[in-house]
Amino acid sequence: MTEHITVPVVGTVVGGHTGRQDDYKGGINSIIRLRPEYAGKVIDGIVESLQGIDEFSHLQVMWQFSERSPEDVALHARSPRDNPEWPPTGTYVHHNHRRPAGLGVSFPRLLRVEGGDLHVTDLDADDGTPVIDVVAVFREMLPRGPVAQPSWPGEMLASYWADASERPHDA
């Protein structure tokens, strides 16, 4: 049984969010810049590994929280965002850097492709974040059937995708 795996960092987030903000993630453009060794050949001005990706509206991006450390892992139940009004939930319920692998998955909208740069909006990874994988979103690969959840995620994330320009200055 494998205890650890090694995965390549295929790219980096350039621009976009900074400072580990919890909310107001909407309306920010950034770039997923592929590392040359994972972009492939350029044929007729097109990076071969991205051929056809511009026909899709959204990407699925797997990334690792870049400002985490092994001390950040929290293998216990705790209230989301330390808010006692929300019930304690386990490590694998939370969508944050405190899980063992510290991975995030986002579904940004693809704006355009320029060489090995994927210009996106609504990517909730910070500038400098290592990107582990990028793939086009297929509707058929999204969850099937109704998605169930308790009420607290909706309360907690009410401002998550609010436009970043609306973020209070003290946040």
Side-chain angles (χ1 to χ4, degrees):
M1 181 171 172
T2 303
E3 292 187 28
H4 293 279
I5 61 171
T6 301
V7 295
V9 173
V10 301
T12 304
V13 175
V14 177
H17 297 284
T18 58
R20 295 172 76 168
Q21 299 288 331
D22 282 337
D23 294 307
Y24 299 93
K25 298 284 190 172
I28 295 289
N29 295 347
S30 56
I31 297 169
I32 298 165
R33 179 160 293 148
L34 292 182
R35 296 173 94 176
E37 63 269 32
Y38 294 110
K41 297 179 197 172
V42 178
I43 299 174
D44 296 327
I46 297 171
V47 173
E48 191 174 27
S49 64
L50 298 175
Q51 184 173 332
I53 204 165
D54 58 349
E55 296 181 48
F56 293 85
S57 64
H58 289 79
L59 304 174
Q60 178 177 312
V61 180
M62 181 177 289
W63 46 274
Q64 187 171 45
F65 285 90
S66 57
E67 296 182 29
R68 69 183 301 275
S69 70
E71 294 78 37
D72 288 337
V73 175
L75 296 175
H76 59 275
R78 59 188 177 77
S79 294
R81 295 189 182 175
D82 298 320
N83 184 336
E85 293 183 22
W86 296 323
T89 52
T91 302
Y92 299 105
V93 173
H94 297 263
H95 285 250
N96 61 33
H97 65 283
R98 293 192 173 109
R99 296 184 322 276
L103 298 177
V105 177
S106 300
F107 297 89
R109 185 164 44 95
L110 179 61
L111 301 173
R112 69 184 180 282
V113 179
E114 293 179 354
D117 287 353
L118 298 161
H119 292 256
V120 298
T121 192
D122 297 338
L123 174 63
D124 51 347
D126 284 352
D127 179 44
T129 296
V131 174
I132 297 165
D133 197 24
V134 177
V135 66
V137 170
F138 294 177
R139 269 191 302 265
E140 294 78 7
M141 300 297 285
L142 295 174
R144 296 178 58 205
V147 175
Q149 69 180 34
S151 62
W152 66 262
E155 295 167 14
M156 177 179 73
L157 298 172
S159 296
Y160 193 81
W161 288 116
D163 196 279
S165 66
E166 299 171 13
R167 180 180 291 127
H169 293 290
D170 59 348

